[in-house]
Amino acid sequence: MLYDAGKGVRPALGGTSTIVYDTKTRTVEKEFMSLLGTTRNCAGGVTPWQSWVTCEETVERAGEFAEHDHGYAFEVPATTEIKLHKAVPITGMGRFNHEAIAVEPRTGIVYLTEDRPEGLFYRYLPKKQAELYKGGKLQVLAVRSRPSADTRNWDEESNAYPINEPMSVGWIDIDGIQSPDDDLRYRGFESGAAVFARGEGIWFGNGEFYFACTSGGRNKTGQIFRYIPSKYEGHK
């Protein structure tokens, strides 16, 4: 199913391709389109239940050509079966400049980055693990000792985030996540969430997450953050 046909005039040209690769013979066995009609698909991420979540890095609204709002994440099965997956946005993950996701296998909680100079760091608590389309709760990360912390460290006057110093964090519920005015990050920051400089790729391993920020730091050459989930993750 094509998510956005552009009213038959200007279809959205993003999507995903699935490649089946034989690691023993080092040959491609199959290659096919698995999702169509999305826009500016960015990093995305793998899930523990054999699927891929692809992310739209855009906040384009339905209008002259676009049939639907964009700025969502979509899930695509990792399968060898040649099939075009039905393109349904995971609206519970919010609408913003999605970049990447990573999943904590123990809890099924999804962590999301936002590629904006004043982006936030999000987590999605699905109502049912591995069934992301069935809804859940979206939250934003906040530094407990520094409400509305500026982690970017761009100048001495900003609320500087200390390097290599662990800090306790919490999560804040956020509403209006379809964000028709593209103000989700601003409202989150005003409620106490920490701001990050263009969140990019995120990866989980050995019980912790790492994510990168493109333009963070005094020289704006990038930062890497580590997030360690607690054993009570998702309960508070």
Side-chain angles (χ1 to χ4, degrees), residues 154-222:
W154 280 348
D155 55 64
E156 294 180 358
E157 296 179 357
S158 68
N159 188 9
Y161 192 98
I163 298 174
N164 294 325
E165 181 180 319
M167 302 189 78
S168 176
V169 300
W171 293 90
I172 301 171
D173 293 346
I174 190 166
D175 57 13
I177 62 174
Q178 304 313 313
S179 190
D181 298 323
D182 186 28
D183 62 350
L184 192 60
R185 63 197 184 283
Y186 299 133
R187 290 188 285 108
F189 182 68
E190 289 172 359
S191 69
V195 65
F196 295 88
R198 293 191 58 198
E200 296 282 0
I202 180 171
W203 194 257
F204 176 83
N206 298 323
E208 55 193 20
F209 293 89
Y210 288 87
F211 66 95
C213 292
T214 295
S215 53
R218 190 60 54 84
N219 297 322
K220 298 186 178 181
T221 53

